[in-house]
Structure formats: structure tokens, C-alpha cells
Amino acid sequence: IFDLEMVNKPDSHQEGEFMITGKRIDQLQVGDVAEFAKTVTETDIYLYAGITGDFNPAHVNEAYAKNTFFKTRIAHGMLTAGFISAIIANQLPGPGTIYMKQELSFLAPVRIGDTITARVEILELLAEKNRVRLRTTCCNQDGVTVLTGEGLVSPPKAPKT
């Protein structure tokens, strides 16, 4: 899934350092897919709230959330979207990829205990600009699509020698 490349860095103390990189555009194909699954916990929600400062009571206050449309706390939509980022960073295209654009539609709530499967699929390769257009989705354990969108990334380039 990754390339292990030997890179000679002028400022390195070691001759020939190894660096893990994701797939370059010439190693990708339309239709390539990667997935990542995670069960969302209460801890995930509180940690995300603490990191981002988003303490919306719909996410962190059960007494408040009981009176909402969803009747319980729900995960932050951007927490769910972060699972897509994990795929792009770690799998497809992988390490060294630069996230350039993401459009999202939040279609259903994610509740504590839901297992979310994020999926990234290559829609188009724009080789002349070193860009990849992606379909991005997240579904819960019941097969309900909770998030859909489209992203644009720049995969890693071959190291300069």
C-alpha cells in the first residue's frame, strides 16, 4: 500500500534515509477504493469537542439532547468527516497526500455506539495537475449513508534525486 523510498537528504546525518509515501498519480486508477471503520464512543465526542472547542449541547449534554429532534446526543458531523481524512492520509493515496477540497452533505445522525465505515473511491485522475477527484461516503452499521461528498487531493510526487 505504501512505497518505501530511499532518499538522500543533504542535511541528514545518515546516508540514504527511508521515507514512507503514498501512491503517486501514476500508481492510481479510477475505481480504486479504500475503507476505514470505527465505532464512535462518548470519549471520541468529548475529545473532539475539547480539541475543536465545539461544545454544542447536541453533542455533549444528554439532558439538552433529549429534547432535540434526535432525542439523544449525536456525534459532530466533522468528526465523522475526519474518518475520510484518515483514509486519504493513511491509505488512498496515503502518506504525503495534500487535501485540497471537500464538499459534504450530512444525511443522517451518528450516535454513540454507531460503527461508521468511511469509503473513498477515485472518480477521476487529473495527471497534468497531479490531482485526484474522490467520492467520499460514510455509512453506519445498518447500511444507512450518513455522509456523502466529493474531495480533491494532490497525491505525493516522486522524491527529487
Side-chain angles (χ1 to χ4, degrees), residues 149-161:
E150 192 171 295
L152 185 70
V153 300
S154 179
K157 293 181 178 181
K160 295 178 182 177
T161 54

PDB file of all heavy atoms in Angstrom, residues 149-161:
ATOM      1  N   GLY A 149     -20.073  12.984  -0.185  1.00  0.00           N
ATOM      2  CA  GLY A 149     -19.398  14.174  -0.687  1.00  0.00           C
ATOM      3  C   GLY A 149     -18.412  13.854  -1.785  1.00  0.00           C
ATOM      4  O   GLY A 149     -18.357  12.732  -2.301  1.00  0.00           O
ATOM      5  N   GLU A 150     -17.649  14.869  -2.112  1.00  0.00           N
ATOM      6  CA  GLU A 150     -16.620  14.740  -3.138  1.00  0.00           C
ATOM      7  C   GLU A 150     -15.400  15.533  -2.688  1.00  0.00           C
ATOM      8  O   GLU A 150     -15.534  16.637  -2.171  1.00  0.00           O
ATOM      9  CB  GLU A 150     -17.144  15.285  -4.463  1.00  0.00           C
ATOM     10  CG  GLU A 150     -16.274  14.926  -5.636  1.00  0.00           C
ATOM     11  CD  GLU A 150     -16.917  15.294  -6.968  1.00  0.00           C
ATOM     12  OE1 GLU A 150     -17.961  14.708  -7.304  1.00  0.00           O
ATOM     13  OE2 GLU A 150     -16.345  16.166  -7.645  1.00  0.00           O
ATOM     14  N   GLY A 151     -14.227  14.937  -2.881  1.00  0.00           N
ATOM     15  CA  GLY A 151     -12.993  15.582  -2.464  1.00  0.00           C
ATOM     16  C   GLY A 151     -12.008  15.719  -3.607  1.00  0.00           C
ATOM     17  O   GLY A 151     -12.143  15.065  -4.646  1.00  0.00           O
ATOM     18  N   LEU A 152     -11.024  16.563  -3.384  1.00  0.00           N
ATOM     19  CA  LEU A 152      -9.941  16.758  -4.337  1.00  0.00           C
ATOM     20  C   LEU A 152      -8.638  16.736  -3.550  1.00  0.00           C
ATOM     21  O   LEU A 152      -8.501  17.450  -2.551  1.00  0.00           O
ATOM     22  CB  LEU A 152     -10.090  18.088  -5.071  1.00  0.00           C
ATOM     23  CG  LEU A 152      -9.087  18.368  -6.183  1.00  0.00           C
ATOM     24  CD1 LEU A 152      -9.339  17.442  -7.380  1.00  0.00           C
ATOM     25  CD2 LEU A 152      -9.159  19.820  -6.624  1.00  0.00           C
ATOM     26  N   VAL A 153      -7.693  15.894  -3.995  1.00  0.00           N
ATOM     27  CA  VAL A 153      -6.418  15.774  -3.311  1.00  0.00           C
ATOM     28  C   VAL A 153      -5.274  15.832  -4.313  1.00  0.00           C
ATOM     29  O   VAL A 153      -5.473  15.619  -5.509  1.00  0.00           O
ATOM     30  CB  VAL A 153      -6.317  14.469  -2.489  1.00  0.00           C
ATOM     31  CG1 VAL A 153      -7.395  14.408  -1.420  1.00  0.00           C
ATOM     32  CG2 VAL A 153      -6.368  13.235  -3.386  1.00  0.00           C
ATOM     33  N   SER A 154      -4.093  16.110  -3.786  1.00  0.00           N
ATOM     34  CA  SER A 154      -2.866  16.047  -4.575  1.00  0.00           C
ATOM     35  C   SER A 154      -2.007  14.941  -3.980  1.00  0.00           C
ATOM     36  O   SER A 154      -1.518  15.061  -2.863  1.00  0.00           O
ATOM     37  CB  SER A 154      -2.130  17.385  -4.506  1.00  0.00           C
ATOM     38  OG  SER A 154      -0.936  17.325  -5.254  1.00  0.00           O
ATOM     39  N   PRO A 155      -1.854  13.822  -4.713  1.00  0.00           N
ATOM     40  CA  PRO A 155      -1.060  12.714  -4.171  1.00  0.00           C
ATOM     41  C   PRO A 155       0.424  13.069  -4.150  1.00  0.00           C
ATOM     42  O   PRO A 155       0.864  14.023  -4.793  1.00  0.00           O
ATOM     43  CB  PRO A 155      -1.349  11.576  -5.158  1.00  0.00           C
ATOM     44  CG  PRO A 155      -1.677  12.248  -6.444  1.00  0.00           C
ATOM     45  CD  PRO A 155      -2.352  13.546  -6.067  1.00  0.00           C
ATOM     46  N   PRO A 156       1.205  12.299  -3.394  1.00  0.00           N
ATOM     47  CA  PRO A 156       2.643  12.593  -3.321  1.00  0.00           C
ATOM     48  C   PRO A 156       3.315  12.438  -4.688  1.00  0.00           C
ATOM     49  O   PRO A 156       2.871  11.643  -5.525  1.00  0.00           O
ATOM     50  CB  PRO A 156       3.179  11.561  -2.329  1.00  0.00           C
ATOM     51  CG  PRO A 156       2.144  10.513  -2.233  1.00  0.00           C
ATOM     52  CD  PRO A 156       0.838  11.125  -2.623  1.00  0.00           C
ATOM     53  N   LYS A 157       4.353  13.209  -4.877  1.00  0.00           N
ATOM     54  CA  LYS A 157       5.160  13.110  -6.098  1.00  0.00           C
ATOM     55  C   LYS A 157       6.397  12.281  -5.785  1.00  0.00           C
ATOM     56  O   LYS A 157       6.779  12.130  -4.622  1.00  0.00           O
ATOM     57  CB  LYS A 157       5.567  14.501  -6.574  1.00  0.00           C
ATOM     58  CG  LYS A 157       4.386  15.331  -7.041  1.00  0.00           C
ATOM     59  CD  LYS A 157       4.854  16.681  -7.528  1.00  0.00           C
ATOM     60  CE  LYS A 157       3.673  17.500  -8.038  1.00  0.00           C
ATOM     61  NZ  LYS A 157       4.095  18.811  -8.533  1.00  0.00           N
ATOM     62  N   ALA A 158       7.020  11.771  -6.822  1.00  0.00           N
ATOM     63  CA  ALA A 158       8.271  11.032  -6.637  1.00  0.00           C
ATOM     64  C   ALA A 158       9.305  11.966  -6.027  1.00  0.00           C
ATOM     65  O   ALA A 158       9.377  13.142  -6.378  1.00  0.00           O
ATOM     66  CB  ALA A 158       8.744  10.490  -7.979  1.00  0.00           C
ATOM     67  N   PRO A 159      10.124  11.457  -5.094  1.00  0.00           N
ATOM     68  CA  PRO A 159      11.145  12.309  -4.499  1.00  0.00           C
ATOM     69  C   PRO A 159      12.162  12.771  -5.526  1.00  0.00           C
ATOM     70  O   PRO A 159      12.484  12.047  -6.468  1.00  0.00           O
ATOM     71  CB  PRO A 159      11.808  11.419  -3.437  1.00  0.00           C
ATOM     72  CG  PRO A 159      11.237  10.076  -3.566  1.00  0.00           C
ATOM     73  CD  PRO A 159      10.144  10.107  -4.572  1.00  0.00           C
ATOM     74  N   LYS A 160      12.637  13.979  -5.322  1.00  0.00           N
ATOM     75  CA  LYS A 160      13.675  14.519  -6.224  1.00  0.00           C
ATOM     76  C   LYS A 160      15.004  13.888  -5.854  1.00  0.00           C
ATOM     77  O   LYS A 160      15.340  13.780  -4.682  1.00  0.00           O
ATOM     78  CB  LYS A 160      13.735  16.037  -6.104  1.00  0.00           C
ATOM     79  CG  LYS A 160      12.472  16.690  -6.582  1.00  0.00           C
ATOM     80  CD  LYS A 160      12.521  18.191  -6.417  1.00  0.00           C
ATOM     81  CE  LYS A 160      11.200  18.796  -6.880  1.00  0.00           C
ATOM     82  NZ  LYS A 160      11.164  20.222  -6.686  1.00  0.00           N
ATOM     83  N   THR A 161      15.711  13.491  -6.851  1.00  0.00           N
ATOM     84  CA  THR A 161      17.014  12.845  -6.583  1.00  0.00           C
ATOM     85  C   THR A 161      18.152  13.762  -6.960  1.00  0.00           C
ATOM     86  O   THR A 161      18.019  14.704  -7.675  1.00  0.00           O
ATOM     87  CB  THR A 161      17.142  11.527  -7.363  1.00  0.00           C
ATOM     88  OG1 THR A 161      16.902  11.776  -8.742  1.00  0.00           O
ATOM     89  CG2 THR A 161      16.191  10.499  -6.800  1.00  0.00           C
TER      90      THR A 161
END
